[in-house]
Amino acid sequence: MKKIRMLPLALLLALVLAAVAAAIALWPTHPGRQPDEVQRVYLLEDAFSSQLAAALESDSWKSLLDAQLDAAAASGADTLLWSGRAAGQPLWPETAWPWQTDPVAYLSRQAKKAGLGLVLVWPEAADSGLEKLLSRWNLTGACAPAEGGIFQPLTEGLPAIALPQGEGAAFYAAWATGKASAAVAVTSGGADYTLLCSQLLGQTPPAVTQLAISQTLSVGLPQPGQTTYGEIYFAAGTADPALPLTVNGQEVQVLEGGCWGIPVALEVGENLIEARQGENTAQVTITRLAVTEGSWQPSKPQPDDSPELEPGQLVQVTSVLASLLEDPADSSSILQTVYAGMVGQVTECVQLQKGSALTHAYKVAGGWLLAQDCQTVEGTAPAITAISFAQQGRNSIFRLEGASPLAAAERTDTSLKVFFSGASLAADLPAETGLADGIEAQPEPDGFSLTFTFPAGGLWGWSVDAEEGAATLTLKAPPALSADPLRPLEGVEILLDPGHGGDDLGALGPGGAAGPAEKDLNLAAALAARDRLTALGAQVTLTRQDDSFPTLAQRNQALRQQKPDLFLSIHHNSIVLERDVNQVAGVECYYFYPSGQLLAQNLAARVSAAAGRQNRGDKWNYFYVTRSDICPAILLETGFVPNPAEYENCADASGLAATGFAIAQAVEDTLAGRGPQAGAE
């Protein structure tokens, strides 16, 4: 009888133990992740919360949550971030079995099983409902929304959580400079931002240069001894931002970084500009010159020693980079850039005035060469005696033996016709054509031409280089983005050119010659871009990596020797200071050949958006460094150095990091064939 009575008791005990075990398994007594372990967060967005609210009346709500858990795991997140509300109302009842109808309870339990944390977004810090939930479910933590896409922690140990802003540029800048220890939030639709997180997490932030701006009282602009005809001049300098500042008795705001600037009215003669903070003063004198009507007359132009040449005579380009002009009197009417060593046959000669001199221009290859860019040479018309072919990576190289004739080209989307001035062709065409579909040779008046055909968009760039007794024609195939999403620029070659350097300071800012000059800003921005481009897989070289000064000829030589896929000359802008420079700011980017326009558009849009500066757009100009046929080549003006606010932003480590990141984004956009993106305008 005793055994019969004990059996139900044992069974009852077993049932009780099983129930306790089940409750322990179901009840989320521990969070899936501790607050200080949160690194990468998956955001359950407001649209999902509304969808879930509608589904709570059916049995489908758990599957919605399960799908979000799967998406979070796929993104590599370690924590879920959720408001838990729709239309301002909680999505859970006050009384219910939590694993049956309470989505927060269900999500907490399922997240724990998946090894994830759950952080709730709460609109107010002092909310009894939040305290109750934290106590009831022992969640990873809670945070409250703040400005700038940041969620500030309400739970001890939980880091701030950064949401996507500017396609990741702000987060990248914070990460790269170590200025913010924020967790990263990934959104369900934010593929680019998700990729950014994958690239950055676990990596050591690059060392971004911080260009120190002194906060000692000074007047950096104008420089000592400055003269002007203007009625006003922009005075700028540095000061202690914690102290009041006056300039010529007028109160002036000092920015957080220590810079100030104000237009000052000038009288004819010497004008003292004095900055004062307490007992400390800084002074500079500027002279305004009087505008007088004189009897000055321009001198009669005198002829230089350039010769008048007859048709058929030969000239050789002597300038490292020269222009073949449509109109010899208009230096901007450039048909083609030609290079030292090339020989052309003159078909016409004219005399014209350039400045105060009478000089000559010679027509070759359908355009005009100025006498200053070439010299006469003796000999017979050049002849090409052999053509060989070699393939080097994406470069198809044709070597023309016998001469270095001046070359000019006509390009379409499917063809390239290269005319060789005054030369004859006495050679067979090579059987191999590289990236071209075919080659055709054609005799021309005063020379011959080679026409290459391609599939649409099949030619990235071309160049002709003169050698001793030969010429090398290079055709470059387009680079492509890699299939590796973490290293999309794998195999892409980029040449960065930090402008100025050494004794060439470039533009000066409020710090004057003693503060960071344009040359320093250019190098710092280029190094930030190099680090980000390299992280994406690109092969990056620089024309200078220190405070040296490569000449324009040396920069051009580096471009022509390396033949990269992209060439970016990094600069910062300036302007005549006879105005209020506080009103002049922004990013602009210059190109010369049409091949560089898309890159210029993307750079202006991306950098302005990332750094918070005005987008002044893409512009055409014939700068020395933009005139490359082999690849898109641009000159980027990242910001205005004399503008105090922009000067501080350009010198700040976070501004430099964001600029470097944006340059890499623009490169990726360009290689993908995309124009400026929404949000990057």
Side-chain angles (χ1 to χ4, degrees), residues 323-458:
S323 300
L324 197 62
L325 300 171
E326 182 177 14
D327 178 358
D330 181 0
S331 298
S332 69
S333 64
I334 302 169
L335 296 172
Q336 182 74 55
T337 301
V338 291
Y339 301 94
M342 293 181 170
V343 176
Q345 188 176 57
V346 175
T347 59
E348 189 178 345
C349 175
V350 297
Q351 188 178 56
L352 71 159
Q353 182 177 343
K354 283 288 185 180
S356 60
L358 288 175
T359 187
H360 288 90
Y362 312 117
K363 193 168 190 179
V364 292
W368 295 90
L369 270 178
L370 297 177
Q372 66 188 32
D373 292 325
C374 58
Q375 64 183 8
T376 58
V377 291
E378 300 296 330
T380 58
I384 301 302
T385 57
I387 302 179
S388 59
F389 170 81
Q391 187 72 34
Q392 295 181 3
R394 286 184 286 104
N395 293 338
S396 298
I397 301 172
F398 300 84
R399 182 176 173 84
L400 286 64
E401 302 286 354
S404 303
L406 188 147
E410 298 176 6
R411 181 177 175 181
T412 71
D413 193 45
T414 57
S415 69
L416 177 73
K417 180 179 179 180
V418 185
F419 173 73
F420 295 93
S421 172
S424 61
L425 177 62
D428 294 330
L429 298 178
E432 294 183 80
T433 59
L435 65 94
D437 289 337
I439 310 174
E440 180 183 345
Q442 184 71 37
E444 303 276 357
D446 308 309
F448 75 93
S449 64
L450 295 177
T451 300
F452 300 83
T453 55
F454 310 90

Side-chain angles (χ1 to χ4, degrees), residues 158-213:
L158 183 68
I161 298 174
L163 295 185
Q165 292 286 315
E167 300 221 13
F171 167 70
Y172 175 79
W175 173 81
T177 58
K179 288 192 172 182
S181 56
V184 185
V186 193
T187 64
S188 58
D192 290 343
Y193 198 77
T194 303
L195 181 59
L196 171 66
C197 298
S198 301
Q199 293 164 344
L200 298 185
L201 287 174
Q203 295 182 17
T204 301
V208 179
T209 303
Q210 171 75 50
L211 299 179
I213 299 175

Side-chain angles (χ1 to χ4, degrees), residues 227-241:
T227 62
T228 180
Y229 286 98
E231 296 180 358
I232 65 169
Y233 202 89
F234 190 72
T238 60
D240 185 342

Side-chain angles (χ1 to χ4, degrees), residues 576-598:
V576 175
L577 301 184
E578 296 170 353
R579 60 183 300 174
D580 185 359
V581 180
N582 288 313
Q583 308 304 317
V584 183
V587 180
E588 55 193 29
C589 195
Y590 291 87
Y591 68 96
F592 177 72
Y593 288 113
S595 61
Q597 185 172 15
L598 180 61

Side-chain angles (χ1 to χ4, degrees), residues 114-194:
L116 302 175
L118 176 60
V119 174
L120 292 184
V121 179
W122 213 253
E124 298 178 9
D127 191 309
S128 59
L130 171 62
E131 294 175 2
K132 181 177 181 180
L133 279 175
L134 289 174
S135 173
R136 182 178 183 183
W137 301 124
N138 197 16
L139 303 172
T140 299
C143 57
E147 294 182 0
I150 300 293
F151 286 82
Q152 296 294 351
L154 302 177
T155 303
E156 185 176 354
L158 183 68
I161 298 174
L163 295 185
Q165 292 286 315
E167 300 221 13
F171 167 70
Y172 175 79
W175 173 81
T177 58
K179 288 192 172 182
S181 56
V184 185
V186 193
T187 64
S188 58
D192 290 343
Y193 198 77
T194 303

